[in-house]
Amino acid sequence: MFASKPTLTGERVVLRPAGPEHVEGLWELVHDPETVRLTGSHAKFTRAALEKWYATRREQDDRLDLAICDVKEGDYVGEIVLNQLDADNLSCGMRIALAGPRAFGRGYGSEAIRLVLEHVFTTVGLHRVSLEVFDFNERARHVYRKAGFVEEGVLRDALRWDGAWHDAIVMSVLATDWTARPAL
């Protein structure tokens, strides 16, 4: 379902199939302390591992990895990924990460989510997109709700960060929610 790797363009961002040309931005993203905290990533990445990862993203037909780039400057500001495809049930997971403070609060994430949801619900034909967000990430929860995601449940104590436990909030948006939403 994700064999086609589209380029999606909005007013603020252009979403491009992730590839080796985006490794420098991904390196910045995975080393930004706030982005790492918000995504709950305990992993440590080498540049070689990131180069190998982004070199293979365009080959995957069961996921869609898109680099979020500023539409005017072309700079990499994050990534949005559709993964965990369940073709039988027309559903997938979604994750998004922005490359730190220079990308936060500029509307990049909101527009990237809108472009991706429009694509999967109107072009790909999926029915459901789900995600998890940590309880301390109110900014992301607000953006997801604004995009039509609904909170479904809680994974209690799903993340241990700096010695404290945090819940993961499970959210989803359905194609029917998307088509019934008010125009943005």
Side-chain angles (χ1 to χ4, degrees):
M1 295 189 107
F2 294 133
S4 172
K5 307 298 184 190
T7 295
L8 307 172
T9 304
E11 293 177 17
R12 290 182 177 95
V13 299
V14 59
L15 307 180
R16 301 185 193 289
E21 67 274 22
H22 302 114
V23 169
E24 191 61 38
L26 182 60
W27 179 259
E28 176 189 357
L29 185 152
V30 301
H31 286 89
D32 176 73
E34 184 66 359
T35 300
V36 169
R37 183 182 76 84
L38 293 173
T39 59
S41 179
H42 293 290
K44 302 296 182 214
F45 300 96
T46 65
R47 188 173 297 273
L50 297 180
E51 288 170 355
K52 183 176 179 181
W53 179 254
Y54 262 13
T56 62
R57 297 307 81 206
R58 293 178 182 151
E59 301 166 9
Q60 312 303 313
D61 63 0
D62 64 343
R63 59 183 291 136
L64 180 59
D65 295 75
L66 297 171
I68 305 169
C69 300
D70 179 276
V71 77
K72 292 178 184 164
E73 304 297 323
D75 297 337
Y76 177 102
V77 296
E79 70 171 10
I80 187 165
V81 176
L82 297 171
N83 57 12
Q84 301 171 333
L85 177 65
D86 180 345
D88 293 329
N89 293 303
L90 300 175
S91 69
C92 71
M94 186 188 89
R95 66 177 173 77
I96 184 171
L98 297 177
R102 71 178 179 85
F104 295 157
R106 292 182 162 70
Y108 295 141
S110 294
E111 188 171 68
I113 292 166
R114 182 184 57 76
L115 289 168
V116 163
L117 293 179
E118 182 73 29
H119 175 71
V120 298
F121 291 140
T122 63
T123 303
V124 178
L126 291 185
H127 176 70
R128 173 187 164 84
V129 176
S130 62
L131 57 81
E132 294 176 12
V133 58
F134 296 113
D135 56 8
F136 54 78
N137 195 347
E138 187 53 44
R139 180 176 57 219
R141 290 170 68 189
H142 171 76
V143 168
Y144 298 144
R145 284 190 294 266
K146 191 170 76 171
F149 283 85
V150 174
E151 294 186 8
E152 297 183 320
V154 175
L155 301 175
R156 299 178 313 142
D157 288 353
L159 173 71
R160 187 163 184 236
W161 197 263
D162 287 338
W165 289 103
H166 299 279
D167 296 341
I169 312 302
V170 178
M171 302 179 80
S172 75
V173 60
L174 305 178
T176 50
D177 300 331
W178 182 254
T179 57
R181 82 196 185 294
L184 296 177

